[in-house]
Amino acid sequence: MTVSLSHVHVLVDDPDAALSFYRDVLGLEVRNEVANDGYRWITLVTPSQPEIEIVLSQPQAGRSPEDGAALAAMLAKGELPGVLFRADDLDSTFERVRASGAAEILQEPTDQFWGVRDAAFRDPAGNMLRVSQA
């Protein structure tokens, strides 16, 4: 039996801002975009791992108003789990993110004591993203 990762969901409050960031700044490719019941989700992939899809969706989509509001509040506080990416050129990726002005920089590229070189920032919705050197 084989189990593999297929999708990762990232909640966003503004799909257009998120799409612009993940596509135009990080270089992900749009695989699918679907509108449903007043909301939409956008599926993106990285060129190096097209089998793993990153799904941008709104907290209220497909949830009760109470649950959607609770998730939106957690998103606004930056309390949702982050996403970790790997780049073949961390410094170049970091500079592209910084130059975009679309992300809050949390940590410049740093050599960590556990052997990884990485950087951290918040996407336009407040999700923490870390990028490590491949």
Side-chain angles (χ1 to χ4, degrees), residues 46-58:
T46 65
S48 63
Q49 292 178 304
E51 71 280 5
I52 300 174
E53 298 179 348
I54 297 167
V55 182
L56 305 176
S57 62
Q58 294 158 281

Side-chain angles (χ1 to χ4, degrees), residues 65-103:
E66 297 79 18
D67 289 347
L71 281 173
M74 290 181 69
L75 176 62
K77 291 183 354 181
E79 291 297 323
L80 295 177
V83 179
L84 285 71
F85 288 95
R86 191 172 346 171
D88 58 358
D89 184 346
L90 174 61
D91 294 314
S92 172
T93 301
F94 179 79
E95 287 307 322
R96 194 168 60 244
V97 169
R98 183 196 324 251
S100 76

